[in-house]
Structure formats: structure tokens, C-alpha cells
Amino acid sequence: MEADRLIIAHGRVVDPSQGIDRVTNLLVERGRIAALDVPLMDDVPRLDATDRIVAPGLIDMHVELSEPGREEDETIRSGTAAALAGGFTTVACLPNSDPPIDTRASVEFVQHQAARAGNCRVVVMACVSRGREGKQLAEIGSLVAAGAVGFTDADAPIASTELMRRALEYCLMFDRPVMNHPEVPELSRGGIMHEGLVSTVLGLAAMPAEAEDVMTSRDLRLAEATGGRVHLMNISTAGSVDQIRRAKSRGIRVTAEVCPQNLALTDECLRSFDSSYKLNPPLRSREHVDACIAGLVDGTIDVIASGHAPRAGEKKMQELDQAPFGMVSLETALALAIHCLVRPEHLTWLELIDKMSTQPARVLGLDQQGTLRIGVPADITIIDPHHEWVVQPAQFRSQSRNTPLAGMTLTGRAQHVLIDGQVKWQSS
Amino acid sequence: MLVRVAVGKGTELAMNTPAADFSRAPADWTRGDLLDLEGLSAAEIERVLDTAQALYDATGGCRDKLSLLSGVTCANLFFENSTRTRTSFSLAARRLGADTVEFTSSGSSLSKGETFIDTAKNIEAMNVDAVVVRHATPGTPHLLAQNLGCAVINAGDGAHEHPTQGLLDILTIRQHRGRIAGLTVALVGDIAHSRTARSNIWGLKKLGAHVIVCGPSTLVSRRWEQLGVEVTHNLDDILPRCDVLNLLRIQFERQATRPFPSVHEYALLYGMNRQRVARAKDDILITAPGPINRGVEITADVADGPHSVILDQVTNGIAVRMAVLWLLMGVRRRGT
């Protein structure tokens, strides 16, 4: 048997980059995609993918790896192990570590730790501003030279309009996106949940939808004026979707992303006062969720990302206003996306894989990923779309367990994850 | 269940109220905690009110001591300033023969480097039977109830609920008007930040009152209409229709920014004064959860005038809290 060749046999190959969706055999040779529609060969090892989806490796562009500085939440090793288990071959790491990723050395630290861990690929999104303070531009040119694929202050919104405008202008030179968490801080400060009937009844400090809408509006206007490329992270409001839809029709260079938890859950969940539902952007009401799903369906929203935000148990076991935002989601994002998008037939498999692989690769400028084109590295996620499983946080590879999905039955799971043609993860 | 001490029998009770029998807890009360009024049925609310009234009568208006809860220890766990409610809970426990311990802490447990749950578990480990908790964050009593085996009573969680305040307001109205159903009750003031408002809304609506919330548009959400509450920003419009006015304090301490231009303007638009009383029904009942700000939501002459039942509320607070403690401890005793 030839060790450097592998046939992924009888799988439903779904490759949005080439518009392929058919049952066939895929040949991997020396770690790269070699051919499609090959016959089975006796001397080539075979991975049976009957009734499985064979997709370009999933890419998650919204992940906190928390190292350095918050190793009690996650390390690069544990986070990338969780990514593999969730079906991701590449993650883009947010720069909100401590210290933040705002220098060439800190980018290289993440790259080295990821190489040592040897799990999935890690690309780095670096800070827009020095120290993530929102005042002065970080050394974006040096960071690009170190390999940074995009610029963001992560969960800290770029509040200064002047800084945002300058960042969009400056990043034009490097063709990198500026990624903003759209939120006007003074409209949502101290807020715990979406402002609506539920927050009114619960008496919880709230984050109105217009805190997001107003920032989305500003960023779109600045992108239009500068010609820069803006990526709106984890949008959650009907207002954002509507404005982005119109901006795209006018040719403004904008991409947008949602996280499955913001589609699968609503603000009603906060009635439990369970801090695992405390997310930012907050879980919104049904009409916002429906608008986001419509935005995915018509292509207004390009990307589905996990929004992985690991938090050590003791941090979440606090009063609701003290508990930090966020949930771990690398290991549940795919199944939750299937649950709320594919099973109700909002998206086809081709569309789902597009938003979880091909589109994030495009936004991040990764031309060797997000595709099963002949010649690219064989990063492949093989999904069992029918596998039923129960979310058991104790079994997570992630170091943190903060999820509101514990005990939920989900359907669909990554069964094999290959990077450079090597099986890096296999579900038991 | 962590009721470690037998609860007293109290056979010497209820001499002058033959209807009241405190020898055993009522079988129709099944809750081991009191977290909010939203989750209570009308029958449960009436059960507490009836029990409170019986205890009020049995103690000569909350003056005399009974020994219904001898051996029981109640901890007051107050993470937010309070004089009235804490004292009222302490008195209620002691009137029933229970022991009380006080635990006060400014702000969050975090300021001492301990998580809130750890603080509470430490107190529970001292073998207390009931924890009365006040906290600036909504849902904190619910978090406690999930983590502790003893009874948890919400004495106010942020702007969420203050169930015993709601119950004592309703008991006071019932004492004066004989019923709740069919009455029109207006809650006036800072609805947005008021836990008293929320407990009143749920309790009054469940018992069949028509509830109006009234105050500045920045503090009174139109969203309440979705729950069948009438919303208005004009006190003078509704005044002639009201049977009861509950005047809520402006919660300056919870407001991140000033929601109205000045206290003077607020008093002008919503202050209850002699002129407004003259335009109200002859028998209008004026309640206020206190502490009252004389000259803001109510003028001194109205606060001290014939329509005001503010001090009755304070006494009824003890009756309601005795009732809650007794009902919860009855369930806890059955549970062991």
C-alpha cells in the first residue's frame, strides 16, 4: 500500500469553491488534493466516507485562544485540540490575550505555540490599536510581515471614529480587513442582555439593538468613504443585516459574520439567570434571529464562526453582572449550525460549507484553504450528518466548560479531520 | 434538605383567631424558597396573605412573640444597604422564636476575593435554615437557591423583584379595601429600576387588579403593555380613576445617567401633593415602599395625611415575612 496516497471513498464531496456537490471519490497525494472522481485502486489506502459529507477543512475566524495571559481559560494547545474535535482545520485567533497581540513578537509567539501543539492551523488576527486601547494604530505593517491576516481589537469595539477611519485607510496598503465588533459602548455599558420585554421583566441592565445598529452604520459609511475593507464580527440585529444588505448592493467592501448560538437561542434563555447565556452580542429576540437567518440565506452574511470564548468555571460562577461574557463553542458550532440552519432547510450543505470554510478563507485571504481544488493542501473535514450526540462539557477538549448547551442532543459531527492529508482527529 | 432542628409546634397560638391553625403547615404550600411573585399562582399569593393576616392577628399586630420557629436560624445576607427590610426580616424571625444572624457586605463578594457562591456556602455550613438575601444583581437569589440546600428568600435583587414588599403592599391594600380584584392600582415613578414595581405588577395582576404604570417616558417602558399593564406618562390623566397610588422612590443609585432633567421637574410632573389628592377619589389609598423622599414623590402633608397608609405597610412587612418564613420552614420540615 502506498503511504503517501489516500482515497476518500464514496463520500458526498461538497466544495463551494468549485460548485461541487456529488458522491464521488477524492484522491489525496503527498498531502495535497490530487484528483476527484478517481476509481478505487487496490494499492491505495481508502477512507470510507459513505453517507458522509466531504468538505474543505472548516475555518473558524472568531476564536479566543486566551494564551498568553489567560491560561486558566484556554491554552493554544487545548484550544486547537478543541478546534480539531469540532471539525476545524484552521482557526483565526483573536488578539485579546494578555498582553494583547499587537507586536511582531506576540504574533510569532502564537505561531510557535500552535506549531508546538501540532493540532490545527492557526492564523493570527492582530490588534488594530496598540494595547487594544483604541487610541493609536498598532504597527500594522510589521504585523502583516509577521503574518497577521486581519486587524481587530476583538471584543473591544473600535469606539473612536477617527481611529476606525484611519485603520481602514491604512489597511488598504496591505489589503487586510479591519474587523470590528459593532457596538457603541456608551449605549450598552453595564448591559447584561438584549434590551426588550424580557430584560424589562427581569430588571436586567440591557444592551439595545441600536447600540449595534449605530456602529454598523458608522463602519459601513467609513468603509464606503475610504474604500477600505470592513468585516463586521458576530452581528446580531435586524438593523445590521438590513444595512449590510444595502451596503453590499452599493458595492461597499463589507463582509459579515454570525455565530450559531445567536441563531439557536434567544433572550428568553436569560429567564434562568444562568450566566452561561451571558454573551456579547447578547442573545436577541426572535425577530432579530429571524433577520440574521434571512441574511445568511440571501448572502448578506458571509461567514458562520464559532465565537469561541472560553471562561474558567469560577469566573462564570458569579453574580450575573460580574460574570464575563462568552461561551465555549468550537466543539458545538458545526452541530448547532446544522441544527438551526440545515435541518430546517434554511441553508443547503453547499451553503453551510461555503459559510464555514470557503468564505472565511476568502475574508482572511487564505488562498490555499477553503477549497478542494487540485493542488492545495489536503485540509478536509468529513462530517457524519446523522450522528446524534449529547453535549457533555466534561468531555470537551477545551479547557473551559462554559456552555449553555450541556445536555442538549445535537445531530451531525465531524468524523475525520485531515490536515495536509494526515488524519489529525477521528471521532470515537 | 438542611433543616437540622425540629421546628416548634406552637400549640399556644391563635386563641382569638379560631380560623388560624399553626400546628401544621398548610398542605397546599409546596415551595421551599421565595424568589419572586412572577412564578407564584394567585392561590399561593392568597395563601401567604391569609397566613400573614392570621399571624398579624395572632401577634396582636406583630407585637407578641410566638414560638413557631424556635430552633430555626435565619441568616440575613445583605450585599446592599438596607435598614427597613433587614430589620423587618429580623423582627419577623424573632417574633416566631427563630434565631437570626446578620451578614452584611458592601458590594460584591468579589471585593474580598471570594466568589458569591463560596460566601453563601460558608454561611450555610454554619447550619442556617433560611437565608434572606438582598443583592444589587437580578437573579442572585435564584443562583443561591440552585446552590444551597436551605431556604432562600429574595429580599430584593437589583431591579428584578422584591416579593415580600409586593406582598406587604397588597396585604395593606386588602386590609383597607377588603379585596384586590377590580381595583385600579397605579405604580408611579421609576418603574425601570424598581423591584417593588415588578413584584406589585405580578401580584396585583394575578389577583385581578387593573395595574397602571406611570412615570417619565425614560423610566416607564411601553413594553409593559404587552403584559396587560396600562402605561401612561401623565399622572393627572389617570388620577381620577385610581383606587390606590403606590409612589415609588426615584432610584438614583441605580441610574447610570440622569433619566430626567431635574428633581424639581419630576416633583412637578409626578409629585403627589394636596392639589392632586383633591382631584383623586375621596377614598384613594396612598402607599409607598419607603424610604420616602418628602417633597419629591410625595409632599409631607400627603405622607402624613389621612389617605396615607405608609406606616401600616411597615407593620404588615413583619406579618408577611413571618408568614413566608413559617410557610417555607413548614415545607422544609416536611421534606426531611
Side-chain angles (χ1 to χ4, degrees), chain A residues 380-399:
Chain A
I380 299 168
T381 301
I382 301 174
I383 300 163
D384 180 348
H386 306 296
H387 179 83
E388 270 199 10
W389 59 288
V390 177
V391 178
Q392 291 174 295
Q395 293 178 2
F396 282 168
R397 274 78 182 165
S398 171
Q399 191 159 298

Side-chain angles (χ1 to χ4, degrees), chain A residues 65-72 74-76 93-101 105-107 109-110 113:
Chain A
L65 292 180
S66 306
E67 184 185 350
R70 287 193 284 117
E71 289 86 350
E72 69 277 19
E74 194 80 280
T75 62
I76 290 170
C93 163
L94 289 174
N96 57 341
S97 48
D98 183 17
I101 305 172
S106 50
V107 173
F109 171 79
V110 174
Q113 287 295 76

Side-chain angles (χ1 to χ4, degrees), chain A residues 25-43:
Chain A
N25 302 321
L26 177 72
L27 176 67
V28 173
E29 195 168 19
R30 283 187 290 279
R32 292 182 176 268
I33 308 289
L36 204 58
D37 307 320
V38 292
L40 299 180
M41 292 168 259
D42 287 342
D43 58 339

